[in-house]
């Protein structure tokens, strides 16, 4: 079974998907990590787009998930620790806008889920990568709530940042991701929307698990009106 969670940056997709994976036996797939991994290489190459495009087809992208940790390798090098650095985040939309990079990532993502049950999170998993996913969820929250959560996350990583700055960076990335030509950020027509602005973390995890249970029963999933 393939479950996908798409939505804007900071909506809680990765923490939700990880918690659901831990409770459901699904494997976790972080598709943004693949774009971030390519961005680390892009930066190492001095952000030289022609040279990067030349090297891209030969790059080997691999991910490993061991039940708690998701690690990303490019050509055998573990880049996991560099994926969330602010300098990587600041340039990832540039790489994600390249159709050639999207083709390489999509092929790697499809290889990764070829076995077993997966819950993946990203921007275009329901629209472009896994259009036949068993369950598509559009996870969203208003910009202020997303910025607050992202600032707390950075703080916890020892990378304290101004809330206003985090908010501006998220808004900038949303605009770039949703206006790019290649597979822009957009809700799939058949995705169930879960707005987490006023939900607790436990509540949003419970809601996704409930939707998965509905699918397993063969029901058409719809948002729970008791948890707006
Ligand atoms: O989810 P994230 O913040 O790690 O994603 C990093 C970037 O990667 C995001 O700004 C857009 C891009 N991305 C994408 O274009 N498609 C995906 N399926 C996942 C991420």
């Amino acid at each position: 079974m393939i479950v996908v969670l798409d939505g804007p940056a900071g909506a809680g997709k990765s923490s939700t998907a990880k918690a659901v994976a831990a409770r459901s036996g699904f494997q976790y797939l972080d598709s943004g990590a693949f774009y971030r991994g390519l961005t680390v290489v892009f930066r190492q190459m001095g952000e030289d787009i022609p040279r990067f495009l030349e090297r891209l087809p030969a790059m080997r992208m691999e991910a490993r998930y061991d039940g708690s940790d998701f690690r990303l390798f490019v050509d055998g090098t573990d880049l996991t620790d560099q994926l969330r650095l602010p300098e990587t985040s600041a340039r990832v939309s540039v790489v994600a806008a390249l159709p050639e990079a999207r083709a390489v990532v999509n092929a790697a993502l499809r290889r990764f889920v070829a076995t077993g049950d997966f819950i993946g999170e990203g921007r275009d998993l329901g629209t472009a990568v896994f259009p036949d996913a068993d369950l598509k969820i559009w996870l969203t929250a208003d910009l202020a709530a997303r910025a607050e959560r992202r600032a707390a996350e950075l703080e916890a990583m020892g990378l304290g940042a101004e809330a206003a700055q985090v908010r501006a960076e998220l808004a900038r990335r949303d605009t770039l991701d949703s206006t790019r030509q290649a597979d822009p950020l957009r809700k799939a027509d058949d995705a169930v929307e879960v707005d987490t602005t006023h939900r607790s973390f436990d509540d949003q995890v419970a809601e996704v698990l409930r939707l998965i249970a509905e699918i397993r029963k063969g029901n058409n999933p719809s948002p729970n009106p008791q948890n707006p």
Side-chain angles (χ1 to χ4, degrees):
M1 178 182 262
I2 296 183
V3 175
V4 296
L5 256 64
D6 287 311
K13 297 185 301 289
S14 56
S15 44
T16 305
K18 274 184 201 158
V20 169
R23 285 174 219 183
S24 63
F26 280 43
Q27 296 236 59
Y28 166 67
L29 168 66
D30 174 358
S31 65
F34 288 69
Y35 289 101
R36 288 172 179 273
L38 287 185
T39 305
V40 172
V41 176
F42 175 63
R43 283 179 43 78
Q44 286 167 351
M45 296 178 73
E47 307 198 3
D48 180 334
I49 293 185
R51 221 157 55 84
F52 176 73
L53 290 179
E54 212 171 287
R55 190 174 149 198
L56 193 57
M59 280 189 212
R60 266 186 311 115
M61 303 201 79
E62 280 159 352
R64 269 178 230 155
Y65 178 67
D66 67 4
S68 63
D69 208 23
F70 186 90
R71 305 202 76 81
L72 197 277
F73 301 78
V74 178
D75 291 338
T77 304
D78 186 349
L79 300 179
T80 311
D81 293 344
Q82 297 174 70
L83 302 182
R84 302 232 150 238
L85 294 176
E87 54 268 36
T88 307
S89 301
R91 303 304 282 155
V92 65
S93 292
V94 175
V95 173
L98 300 170
E100 296 88 344
R102 304 201 70 80
V104 166
V105 168
N106 290 351
L109 296 176
R110 293 182 186 123
R111 270 199 309 276
F112 189 63
V113 305
T115 54
D117 291 332
F118 278 84
I119 178 159
E121 48 105 358
R123 302 291 190 289
D124 65 339
L125 300 187
T127 51
V129 192
F130 303 112
D132 298 327
D134 300 277
L135 172 63
K136 300 178 186 177
I137 295 172
W138 175 255
L139 200 77
T140 187
D142 70 25
L143 181 62
R146 291 189 284 124
E148 215 171 281
R149 291 177 200 159
R150 186 48 63 91
E153 214 175 87
L154 289 169
E155 189 81 43
M157 289 166 69
L159 300 166
E162 284 289 317
Q165 201 185 328
V166 174
R167 187 184 167 125
E169 171 62 21
L170 283 185
R172 188 185 73 90
R173 203 133 62 83
D174 286 352
T175 305
L176 290 171
D177 290 342
S178 49
T179 55
R180 68 171 177 238
Q181 290 273 312
D183 301 333
L185 167 68
R186 131 182 123 69
K187 177 178 175 292
D189 294 338
D190 51 351
V192 181
E193 178 163 334
V194 177
D195 186 328
T196 68
T197 307
H198 302 294
R199 282 181 191 270
S200 69
F201 179 68
D202 287 347
D203 182 47
Q204 72 204 39
V205 172
E207 176 65 352
V208 174
L209 287 167
R210 189 188 66 78
L211 291 167
I212 292 173
E214 288 298 311
I215 286 283
R216 286 208 190 278
K217 282 190 256 168
N219 296 337
N220 223 356
S222 57
N224 186 347
Q226 285 165 349
N227 288 315

